[in-house]
Amino acid sequence: MDPNHYLVLSGMLFTIGAIGFLVRRNAIVAFMCVELMLNACNLALVTFSSHWGVLDGQVASFFVMVVAAAEVVVGLAIIVSIYRTRRSASVDDANLLKL
Amino acid sequence: MVDMIEPPSLEYLRLLPLLLVFGGACLGVLVEAVLPRRSRWGAQVGLTFLTLVVTAVVTVLGWRAGDVGVSALGSVTVDHPAYFSWTALVVLAALSLLLFTERRLNGGVSAFAPQAAAVPGSVDEELAIRARTEHSEVYPLALFSLFGMMLFVASNDLLILFVALEILSLPLYLMCALARRRRLLSQEAGLKYFLLGALASAFFLYGVAMLFGYAGTFTLAGIDQAVAAGAGSEWLLLAGMAGISVGLLFKVGAVPFHSWTPDVYTGAPTAVTALMAACTKVAAVVALLRVLYVGLGGLRWDWQPLMAAVAVVTMAVGSLLAITQDDVKRMLAYSSVTHAGFMLTAVAGASTGEGARQLSSVGSTLFYLVAYGVASVGAFAVVTLVRDRNGEASRLQDWAGLGRRHPWLAAAFSVFMLSFAGIPLTSGFIAKLGVFESAWSGGYPWVVVVGVVLSLVAAYFYLRVVVTLYFADPQPRSGQGGQAAQAPAGAADATPATGPAADGDGARGGALATEVRTAGAPAAVSSAGEVGVGRASVATYGAVVAAVVVTVVFGLLPGPLLDLALQAGVFLR
Amino acid sequence: MVTGASVAFWLLAPVMVLAALGMVLARKAVHSALCLAAVMVALAVQYAALDAPFLFAVQIIVYTGAILMLFLFVVMLVGVESSDSLVETLKGQRVYAVLVGIGLVVMLVVATGNALVGDPVGVAGPNSEHGGNVQGLAALLFVRYVWAFEATSALLITAAVGAMVLTHRERLVKKQDQRERAAARMRAYAESGVHPGPLPTPGVFARHNSVDTPALLPDGSAAESSVSATLRARSSIRTPAELTAPMAARQAELSADQPAQPGIGHGPDPRLKAPVDQKDADLSDEERI
């Protein structure tokens, strides 16, 4: 199996993610596109790891997953707080409607 | 049979500054969990500043002892540039954090959202405002960010660099979204910064992967060796360099990747903006220098023209767009872009600084970072002080004639502006001289010529602010007579100081808010929207005074700082 | 030579590219998330083919199972039905994006197309050095990269604190329990005579039972409390006069025909055609129905 194939696949996925980020305006989908880009990077890292015969690339890929997890939490928290604000059709008043 | 892993040994003493900041941040989170709400704010302030002072002392001790070397099993390089930037980061972060502690301006509450989870304008938010809750989590978050920055400037391999990039960014994304006033704007700033930052770090990571593919290792030294050996695909190397440069230039705020800067700087709470402007710039520029000089030094013929082009475009776009701004905060954001351009001239020069008299590119950039960082913290501190009833009044026309009513404050702001403009007798002048000299001796005289021309353009808009401060007539704000604008400052001062939650966001006209507001509003204030100078606590004044003193002293006597920068001129490989 | 790795690659690579395109092109966020899940699972298989069994598991368990599911949660939270509008806000943005994308893909494919020359070393050696892939990773993670490993804790703490700050709403006012609420109601009844029971429902005794129609009291006036305060504030409720008008009209009509039988307000009721005795006519509408 030629490792270059993996790299080409990784490059394509990365590019699709980048295009998606530029095209989509839904914040969640744009963020998914970033995740796709990170996944593409991971594939490249693991491929290079196998090419060089060292495990560093796999460790790096593992770190990327940790970082992505933290980033997702923060990002989605920000997105949720914005969505809450924008749909603020005064949901709080609902408490006062009926006893 | 499973063999045992040899436990690693770390240079704890040398890494102590990093560990202290990290420990302080963790303790801060614990304080948040353990202490009752009332005593949290004071405890956090105490803990944070204790951490910063101890860290500064430990850093300076280590620096004086010359305790340098590659540490933490090759992850962290502690060298003179690292010590220099650690000290600068801690000091600048301390100055910005002084602005975090300001409560007097807001009538006894901090400038951060009372409850970030409450929808703006909702009953929940009113309740939170009434209960005077505060998010004291910003202190541990700021310390985490500082930890990330300190790690960022000292990282010796690309993996640490990536992790540190995220550690410094995530708390900033969060803090951007936490402003007390204009929360929609602030949340939007947080989202924008987050999305673009995530994109930039994805590019950065792709660059890391490519360089790993080229060299088979993540360490900067290993990459340098691989570049010197010249084996492997040139394309991988170039793709790697491009990806990493995109990620770092985004954090620096250089031009193709600057579009987040004005929006985020404007939307974020001003104290956070000060932290971003001063500290993030230090971290990003030093990391860029380290990657380019240590890791990709063999490729300098490839990246030097690139950096020169980016520097020129950054200077031009930053200064030309800054002229068109009529909002002080936004103008300062574009000014930060412009200064990124000035720093990049030295980066492009890659001068090694012949002899003991001349600064290398690293040294001159470090000096520039300190001069710029201090002045920008000071400038943002002044922005927090000029207020009307709705909070900060950052429109430039609101500042007209401020010099006559508040000569000291206007003088301080003028010092910062002059330093930004690079007028002699301020530290900005020495700094600009240094970076241009580096670019010149690095073989980029045309960049220097363009830089000088553009710094004249930049000087125009800085001086325009000074002129507005002193010579422009205050314009009546819409809906009020000139009488309101010229009212004695004392009356305007009273509003923010005495109204317990004088929060005039138009959107929130709920009965609760009106009740709260009218209860505290003094009868002396006739109409909304007089621009005055709020009465701040010692902390903000202290930050302004310190920034003025540093700017002027390093302008008159740059010797000691220049010596340090001279000493910190070379990265440890 | 056909190996398992190449079979996996040629089977799954087209799927991955298509799923990635699907993620970008799907209009609904849920579909995007599911497409991304497909990419991730297929990627896990590639990891397995590249001798990274640990990452294979982590990719499925953590990336797909936890991170992506978080995405799905949020998609559900903010509205599964919301789909992007296809209107371009920035003119020509899509064209530029596609041009940039094509440039990028050409650059990356050229850069990586035959970047690696020579046979890959493979990680079989390092995998067996410590007795397995997981052990080998552990040896690196806890020795060479221990500093990065420790530093990531800062990330995780930040994420936890951030999620709490932005989404956890602290209760500032003590929540009333049922006993307290009941006591308050009875106190209000004792002090000011406020009715302690449930409020009347809208539309009772009237021609409609929609929420904006107040119930009618026996004297023909409207029961204000039967309509929610919000609707009352918006003043979009029907007035009693508006409601009683048709009834009054019919009443007048009927009283013109049959002066002996006042008070019948309904439309043509088949029973009305039959001779009605006096007792029935006295009943109110509801009792008759």
Side-chain angles (χ1 to χ4, degrees):
Chain A
M1 189 66 212
D2 187 355
N4 289 313
H5 294 335
Y6 287 109
L7 295 183
V8 171
L9 177 64
S10 146
M12 286 169 79
L13 292 180
F14 188 84
T15 314
I16 293 173
I19 296 177
F21 185 90
L22 296 176
V23 175
R24 296 301 297 264
R25 291 201 317 287
N26 183 336
I28 301 178
V29 180
F31 190 25
M32 282 182 207
C33 293
V34 173
E35 288 302 312
L36 181 64
M37 293 165 80
L38 293 185
N39 270 289
C41 296
N42 274 356
L43 180 59
L45 282 170
V46 175
T47 309
F48 288 134
S49 198
S50 151
H51 175 78
W52 287 100
V54 289
L55 285 177
D56 297 53
Q58 294 192 14
V59 173
S61 177
F62 180 63
F63 274 114
V64 172
M65 290 184 194
V66 177
V67 167
E71 207 178 55
V72 166
V73 170
V74 169
L76 291 183
I78 293 178
I79 291 174
V80 165
S81 71
I82 285 210
Y83 267 95
R84 266 200 200 153
T85 307
R86 293 297 151 92
R87 295 189 311 171
S88 67
S90 214
V91 187
D92 304 279
D93 285 348
N95 294 334
L96 309 170
L97 274 177
K98 294 259 170 185
L99 264 171
Chain B
M1 183 63 212
V2 179
D3 58 342
M4 300 298 287
I5 297 171
E6 194 111 335
S9 69
L10 297 176
E11 296 82 351
Y12 287 106
L13 194 61
R14 202 184 285 155
L15 298 170
L16 199 54
L18 290 170
L19 292 170
L20 278 171
V21 175
F22 184 48
C26 291
L27 274 181
V29 175
L30 280 184
V31 163
E32 206 54 44
V34 172
L35 286 189
R37 191 186 296 135
R38 193 164 302 165
S39 44
R40 275 183 214 161
W41 185 266
Q44 292 285 20
V45 172
L47 177 65
T48 305
F49 281 92
L50 182 70
T51 307
L52 289 176
V53 168
V54 174
T55 310
V57 169
V58 170
T59 310
V60 171
L61 285 180
W63 193 1
R64 289 186 54 147
D67 187 11
V68 296
V70 176
S71 324
L73 304 138
S75 294
V76 179
T77 310
V78 183
D79 51 9
H80 285 290
Y83 273 123
F84 189 104
S85 32
W86 280 0
T87 315
L89 280 171
V90 171
V91 171
L92 290 174
L95 283 181
S96 325
L97 280 162
L98 281 176
L99 305 183
F100 277 53
T101 64
E102 177 59 58
R103 292 163 103 187
R104 206 174 155 201
L105 275 175
N106 276 311
V109 283
S110 71
F112 296 98
Q115 190 162 33
V119 175
S122 65
V123 174
D124 274 337
E125 196 191 25
E126 283 305 331
L127 287 173
I129 290 173
R130 279 188 146 189
R132 307 170 77 82
T133 54
E134 288 168 311
H135 274 307
S136 42
E137 289 95 341
V138 290
Y139 291 101
L141 287 179
L143 283 184
F144 275 129
S145 184
L146 178 64
F147 169 69
M149 293 169 189
M150 289 170 70
L151 191 56
F152 201 46
V153 297
S155 38
N156 190 41
D157 72 39
L158 296 175
L159 190 54
I160 286 280
L161 207 62
F162 176 67
V163 172
L165 176 71
E166 293 294 324
I167 298 175
L168 84 86
S169 306
L170 290 189
L172 287 179
Y173 302 150
L174 287 168
M175 286 191 290
C176 278
L178 288 183
R180 172 173 289 266
R181 295 162 204 282
R182 301 190 190 119
R183 281 189 54 198
L184 286 181
L185 228 62
S186 162
Q187 287 181 339
E188 242 177 64
L191 181 69
K192 204 166 211 177
Y193 194 21
F194 168 75
L195 279 180
L196 292 176
L199 182 71
S201 58
F203 273 100
F204 181 85
L205 185 66
Y206 202 75
V208 170
M210 292 298 125
L211 286 186
F212 173 66
Y214 180 78
T217 172
F218 286 110
T219 54
L220 295 177
I223 291 167
D224 189 42
Q225 281 167 12
V227 172
S233 157
E234 187 87 343
W235 283 102
L236 273 188
L237 186 57
L238 290 180
M241 190 186 83
I244 287 200
S245 307
V246 169
L248 289 173
L249 288 177
F250 173 85
K251 283 289 160 203
V252 173
V255 150
F257 320 106
H258 71 294
S259 56
W260 59 277
T261 320
D263 294 343
V264 173
Y265 276 28
T266 316
T270 307
V272 177
T273 312
L275 184 72
M276 281 196 287
C279 298
T280 312
K281 195 138 289 187
V282 175
V285 172
V286 176
L288 180 70
L289 284 169
R290 193 182 285 279
V291 170
L292 290 183
Y293 289 12
V294 179
L296 300 172
L299 269 186
R300 51 182 293 179
W301 305 117
D302 288 315
W303 54 253
Q304 268 184 314
L306 197 74
M307 285 298 146
V310 170
V312 167
V313 177
T314 306
M315 287 186 290
V317 171
S319 51
L320 291 178
L321 286 181
I323 291 180
T324 62
Q325 302 305 317
D326 58 355
D327 184 286
V328 178
K329 233 171 143 182
R330 226 176 156 76
M331 191 273 287
L332 287 175
Y334 277 109
S335 128
S336 128
V337 173
T338 316
H339 286 285
F342 289 130
M343 289 174 216
L344 288 180
T345 58
V347 176
S351 140
T352 44
E354 315 298 325
R357 298 298 313 153
Q358 197 195 352
L359 285 174
S360 69
S361 278
V362 180
S364 63
T365 315
L366 285 172
F367 189 94
Y368 201 104
L369 283 166
V370 171
Y372 164 75
V374 167
S376 65
V377 172
F380 281 113
V382 175
V383 171
T384 65
L385 286 171
V386 180
R387 311 170 75 82
D388 58 15
R389 266 178 92 182
N390 297 336
E392 288 159 15
S394 60
R395 286 190 315 164
L396 190 54
Q397 64 193 44
D398 293 342
W399 288 44
L402 208 66
R404 271 168 281 176
R405 284 177 286 149
H406 303 278
W408 287 105
L409 194 74
F413 199 70
S414 305
V415 169
F416 303 137
M417 290 297 116
L418 295 178
S419 176
F420 281 154
I423 307 292
L425 302 186
T426 58
S427 58
F429 171 68
I430 313 280
K432 214 163 259 183
L433 210 61
V435 290
F436 285 159
E437 199 182 340
S438 294
W440 188 283
S441 62
Y444 280 89
W446 64 276
V447 175
V448 175
V449 172
V450 176
V452 169
V453 172
L454 287 171
S455 57
L456 289 180
V457 175
Y460 164 74
F461 68 79
Y462 291 124
L463 293 178
R464 191 183 61 157
V465 176
V466 176
V467 168
T468 310
L469 279 181
Y470 283 101
F471 303 111
D473 283 325
Q475 292 169 359
R477 305 180 90 197
S478 53
Q480 301 134 38
Q483 168 262 339
Q486 303 217 330
D493 287 351
T495 325
T498 50
D503 197 330
D505 263 358
R508 137 177 356 131
L512 276 171
T514 328
E515 186 193 319
V516 170
R517 234 173 274 141
T518 46
V525 178
S526 50
S527 56
E530 293 154 37
V531 179
V533 173
R535 226 172 276 153
S537 68
V538 181
T540 303
Y541 291 137
V544 175
V545 170
V548 170
V549 168
V550 171
T551 304
V552 173
V553 165
F554 286 148
L556 297 174
L557 300 165
L561 190 63
L562 278 178
D563 283 345
L564 290 177
L566 206 59
Q567 193 194 351
V570 184
F571 285 118
L572 189 71
R573 277 162 194 275
Chain C
M1 192 184 79
V2 178
T3 59
S6 58
V7 170
F9 182 83
W10 292 114
L11 269 183
L12 289 178
V15 174
M16 287 163 80
V17 173
L18 285 181
L21 284 173
M23 186 198 80
V24 173
L25 297 176
R27 283 188 63 189
K28 288 193 176 172
V30 186
H31 298 165
S32 295
L34 293 177
C35 287
L36 186 56
V39 178
M40 284 178 173
V41 172
L43 201 55
V45 178
Q46 308 302 331
Y47 291 162
L50 283 165
D51 282 336
F54 179 66
L55 286 180
F56 162 74
V58 172
Q59 171 81 9
I60 290 183
I61 298 173
V62 178
Y63 225 136
T64 320
I67 300 181
L68 199 67
M69 290 311 120
L70 198 59
F71 267 103
L72 272 179
F73 265 112
V74 172
V75 170
M76 297 293 171
L77 205 63
V78 301
V80 105
E81 286 304 315
S82 69
S83 55
D84 264 9
S85 79
L86 294 174
V87 183
E88 272 184 309
T89 38
L90 294 170
K91 210 163 178 255
Q93 179 209 16
R94 239 165 253 167
V95 179
Y96 287 123
V98 170
L99 284 181
V100 167
I102 291 171
L104 199 59
V105 87
V106 167
M107 203 184 82
L108 291 182
V109 168
V110 168
T112 57
N114 37 33
L116 298 178
V117 280
D119 281 336
V121 180
V123 284
N127 272 349
S128 58
E129 188 183 340
H130 288 272
N133 178 251
V134 178
Q135 286 87 339
L137 287 181
L140 267 182
L141 197 58
F142 296 124
V143 181
R144 169 64 185 84
Y145 292 111
V146 69
W147 186 257
F149 181 75
E150 297 295 336
T152 47
S153 62
L155 274 178
L156 298 180
I157 299 173
T158 305
V161 171
M164 289 291 282
V165 167
L166 284 183
T167 53
H168 172 69
R169 220 174 311 174
E170 227 175 319
R171 185 166 285 285
L172 298 166
V173 188
K174 191 179 159 293
K175 191 177 183 178
Q176 283 187 316
D177 58 16
Q178 203 167 5
R179 174 188 293 269
E180 283 164 342
R181 278 208 299 261
R185 265 191 227 187
M186 295 320 269
R187 202 179 311 117
Y189 177 61
E191 284 165 6
S192 52
V194 179
H195 178 56
L199 295 171
T201 46
V204 178
F205 301 152
R207 287 171 65 89
H208 301 269
N209 57 1
S210 63
V211 285
D212 63 340
T213 311
L216 290 187
L217 294 173
D219 60 351
S221 64
E224 288 278 332
S225 56
S226 68
V227 177
S228 88
T230 311
L231 291 175
R232 245 182 292 152
R234 285 194 210 143
S235 69
S236 59
I237 57 173
R238 293 153 186 263
T239 57
E242 187 189 329
L243 289 165
T244 50
M247 202 195 287
R250 171 69 65 185
Q251 218 166 354
E253 204 178 300
L254 284 173
S255 58
D257 291 350
Q258 294 173 310
Q261 291 191 356
I264 299 173
H266 253 298
D269 187 336
R271 281 175 295 175
L272 280 178
K273 300 230 164 65
V276 196
D277 66 49
Q278 191 65 37
K279 193 181 161 221
D280 192 20
D282 279 344
L283 289 176
S284 64
D285 282 0
E286 197 197 39
E287 277 167 293
R288 201 176 325 138
I289 293 159

